[in-house]
């Protein structure tokens, strides 16, 4: 329900003033998602895999993660898509740890790291904030996720 | 040492915020298209310690049409969470601004506080223009905050940002090729539960529903037999059987987190 709290907060005039927002008087309420944009979206690439190939070749650090209780873009969707990149494995599949708990599983490919986050839904840092933070720190440091 | 524009953008205090903040934050608009009057709204939360030595991260959410500050900033990685009355904020102890300076971007124009003076822009948005506007935003934003030029820069996001993030990364990469010393020092990106490939994502989703016992064997086999997700348009029969699964078998659950109660 946290989205509803945001709808209340960001529509308060004093919040908008403090954030220097809505200075032109937008003719609609602040809302988390724009239904008009969703309904009228014009171009959407069928597949991002060719872009991934190009960016991997450019040497960017690329990580994908997946909360494993999401059924909108679930872990099997991401794994199935990623498998079609045919990337060689650098570090074999292993469970990564958050303290004494399994945070999820991960595999490091050449050019891309994939990790799951156990018990997290679509918004991973909402459901598993500590584990998401570990993931982020490892990503920034360019290190593999902790094995213990 | 703030410039005049930075002072104008600086947030002195947010209504209901926790008393003491150890970081600075800024928000405001950057025009990305003068002709149509498109301007994007950003919210920068600087790192809690040693901001000048920490990298810069841009966060985008999904949708399309939902990359607003409701999600990444207020529910997930931002320094504040909003309480249920919508009147006060409380700190997020796992905020990502412990490790990086973070910009949340409401994108494209028409989302959140971001706006356009050309109403038809709300009906002709798409991936390409979103990426182009985001690139222009970044270039202009870095002119406003030159201390972030050449800083290690990363992009993050979730869901439909599986399109936005790599598309923006590619735009930056192409833009940087033309420069001997690129201002946007893009190092990489990280995306969660990302929309990646319509065909494979769709098959993987049906597999998840079945393997997590959310749909029956019979419905699973019907979907696999009926649907060809590699087709540009899904067939009526396919839609019918997927709708049956959604309406009669998945039940009244939160599909974004299958073991969580739905919001009443």
């Amino acid at each position: 329900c946290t989205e509803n709290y945001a709808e209340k907060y960001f529509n308060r005039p004093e919040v908008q003033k403090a954030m220097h927002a809505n200075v032109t008087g937008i003719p609609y309420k602040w809302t988390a998602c724009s239904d008009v944009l969703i309904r009228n979206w014009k171009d959407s690439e069928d597949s991002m895999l060719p872009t991934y190939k190009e960016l991997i070749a450019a040497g960017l650090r690329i990580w994908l993660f997946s909360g494993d209780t999401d059924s909108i873009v679930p872990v099997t969707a991401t794994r199935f898509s990623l498998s079609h990149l045919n990337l060689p494995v650098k570090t074999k599949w292993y469970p990564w740890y958050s303290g004494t708990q399994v945070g999820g599983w991960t595999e490091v490919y050449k050019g891309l790291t994939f990790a799951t986050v156990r018990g997290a839904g679509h918004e991973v840092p909402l459901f598993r904030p500590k584990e998401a933070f570990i993931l982020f720190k490892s990503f920034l440091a360019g290190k593999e996720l902790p094995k213990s | 040492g703030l410039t005049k524009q930075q002072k104008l953008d600086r947030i002195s205090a947010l209504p209901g915020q926790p008393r003491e903040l150890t970081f600075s934050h800024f928000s405001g608009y950057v025009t990305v298209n003068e002709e149509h009057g498109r301007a994007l709204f950003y919210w920068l939360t600087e790192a809690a310690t040693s901001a000048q030595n920490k990298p810069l991260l841009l966060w985008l959410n999904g949708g399309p049409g939902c990359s607003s500050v409701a999600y990444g900033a207020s529910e997930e990685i931002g320094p504040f969470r909003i309480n249920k009355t919508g009147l006060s904020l409380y700190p997020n102890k796992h905020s990502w601004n412990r490790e990086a300076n973070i910009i949340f971007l409401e994108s494209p124009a028409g989302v959140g506080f971001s706006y356009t003076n050309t109403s038809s822009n709300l009906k002709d948005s798409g991936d390409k223009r979103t990426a182009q506007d985001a690139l222009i935003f970044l270039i202009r934003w870095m002119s406003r905050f030159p201390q972030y030029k050449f800083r290690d820069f990363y992009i993050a996001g979730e869901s439909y940002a599986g399109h936005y993030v790599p598309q923006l990364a590619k735009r930056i990469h192409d833009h940087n090729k033309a420069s001997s010393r690129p201002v946007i020092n893009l190092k990489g990106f990280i995306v969660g539960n990302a929309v990646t490939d319509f065909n494979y994502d769709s098959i993987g989703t049906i597999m998840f529903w079945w393997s997590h016992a959310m749909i029956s064997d019979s419905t699973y086999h019907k979907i696999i037999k009926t649907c060809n997700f590699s087709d540009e348009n899904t067939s009526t029969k396919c839609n019918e059987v997927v709708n049956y699964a959604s309406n009669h078998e998945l039940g009244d659950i939160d599909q974004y987190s299958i073991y969580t109660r739905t919001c009443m």
Side-chain angles (χ1 to χ4, degrees):
Chain A
C1 297
T2 45
E3 191 180 314
N4 301 344
Y5 313 158
E7 296 269 352
K8 287 181 193 166
Y9 190 74
F10 291 112
N11 275 302
R12 291 171 57 193
E14 64 272 34
V15 170
Q16 296 183 357
K17 190 178 173 200
M19 297 188 84
H20 327 114
N22 197 10
V23 287
T24 55
I26 302 168
Y28 41 81
K29 278 177 69 177
W30 182 95
T31 186
C33 278
S34 166
D35 290 338
V36 180
L37 285 179
I38 296 169
R39 276 200 308 272
N40 295 289
W41 200 253
K42 290 299 175 208
D43 61 287
S44 176
E45 287 189 70
D46 282 342
S47 178
M48 295 309 300
L49 297 178
T51 307
Y52 273 98
K53 281 180 186 165
E54 200 178 331
L55 295 173
I56 289 167
L60 291 184
R61 183 183 304 160
I62 300 174
W63 283 38
L64 262 78
F65 61 96
S66 184
D68 67 7
T69 67
D70 174 30
S71 72
I72 296 292
V73 190
V75 61
T76 40
T78 304
R79 292 189 69 187
F80 201 45
S81 287
L82 278 186
S83 69
H84 289 83
L85 284 173
N86 296 313
L87 297 170
V89 174
K90 196 174 144 202
T91 304
K92 283 182 184 171
W93 196 262
Y94 67 90
W96 64 274
Y97 278 83
S98 163
T100 56
Q101 298 278 310
V102 172
W105 280 261
T106 183
E107 187 158 62
V108 182
Y109 301 96
K110 277 188 182 152
L112 188 148
T113 296
F114 173 69
T116 70
V117 182
R118 180 177 62 87
H122 196 68
E123 295 173 84
V124 170
L126 168 67
F127 295 101
R128 284 284 182 268
K130 185 180 167 194
E131 287 73 17
F133 190 60
I134 292 170
L135 196 70
F136 180 55
K137 278 204 297 188
S138 301
F139 166 74
L140 281 186
K143 290 181 178 169
E144 293 184 2
L145 284 159
K147 286 185 171 156
S148 60
Chain B
L2 298 180
T3 65
K4 192 179 168 190
Q5 183 61 52
Q6 288 173 3
K7 281 179 188 165
L8 288 172
D9 283 8
R10 185 168 189 173
I11 299 173
S12 52
L14 282 179
Q17 75 175 34
R19 271 187 202 162
E20 284 184 27
L21 297 185
T22 57
F23 61 90
S24 299
H25 54 150
F26 303 80
S27 61
Y29 287 97
V30 173
T31 300
V32 294
N33 185 292
E34 285 82 2
E35 192 189 341
H36 287 199
R38 288 200 299 276
L40 299 185
F41 181 79
Y42 79 90
W43 183 8
L44 166 71
T45 59
E46 288 198 317
T49 56
S50 306
Q52 67 279 13
N53 300 322
K54 298 242 162 80
L56 178 66
L57 176 86
L58 173 75
W59 175 275
L60 295 161
N61 269 92
C66 303
S67 186
S68 73
V69 293
Y71 303 105
S74 307
E75 296 186 353
E76 299 177 78
I77 66 162
F80 307 120
R81 299 272 172 93
I82 303 168
N83 79 7
K84 60 171 70 174
T85 61
L87 292 173
S88 61
L89 306 170
Y90 61 94
N92 168 17
K93 69 176 181 173
H94 298 292
S95 172
W96 288 14
N97 82 331
R98 287 167 59 191
E99 293 290 327
N101 302 282
I102 301 170
I103 320 174
F104 300 98
L105 182 63
E106 296 203 310
S107 166
V111 173
F113 293 125
S114 294
Y115 67 86
T116 171
N117 292 333
T118 308
S119 57
S120 61
N121 279 174
L122 301 176
K123 295 186 175 173
D124 59 11
S125 269
D127 282 14
K128 283 196 184 87
R129 197 171 70 202
T130 300
Q132 180 62 18
D133 282 359
L135 173 64
I136 293 169
F137 164 83
L138 265 178
I139 294 167
R140 293 183 177 178
W141 185 88
M142 283 195 181
S143 295
R144 189 178 297 183
F145 288 85
Q147 63 269 41
Y148 287 102
K149 286 181 178 176
F150 310 110
R151 189 86 63 100
D152 283 1
F153 175 67
Y154 298 92
I155 319 174
E158 73 194 9
S159 194
Y160 197 77
H163 280 212
Y164 300 148
V165 170
Q167 283 165 346
L168 175 58
K170 183 171 159 31
R171 289 279 177 152
I172 295 170
H173 178 65
D174 292 345
H175 174 79
N176 285 353
K177 275 186 202 164
S179 168
S180 58
R181 196 171 172 237
V183 163
I184 307 173
N185 187 12
L186 178 64
K187 295 288 188 187
F189 64 84
I190 178 167
V191 204
N193 296 76
V195 175
T196 304
D197 179 289
F198 182 76
N199 180 32
Y200 302 138
D201 284 355
S202 302
I203 296 168
T205 299
I206 304 307
M207 284 160 54
F208 183 89
W209 290 356
W210 179 72
S211 65
H212 283 68
M214 295 166 72
I215 57 173
S216 63
D217 292 343
S218 146
T219 298
Y220 171 74
H221 290 302
K222 272 185 202 160
I223 294 174
I224 293 299
K225 196 176 158 192
T226 314
C227 296
N228 179 358
F229 296 111
S230 63
D231 268 0
E232 204 164 293
N233 298 307
T234 48
S235 66
T236 311
K237 272 193 171 179
C238 170
N239 287 336
E240 278 172 10
V241 68
V242 171
N243 286 341
Y244 178 83
S246 297
N247 298 330
H248 299 282
E249 294 190 349
L250 294 178
D252 187 18
I253 62 155
D254 181 355
Q255 288 192 45
Y256 291 90
S257 174
I258 60 174
Y259 306 125
T260 304
R261 271 183 72 164
T262 51
C263 176
M264 302 303 285

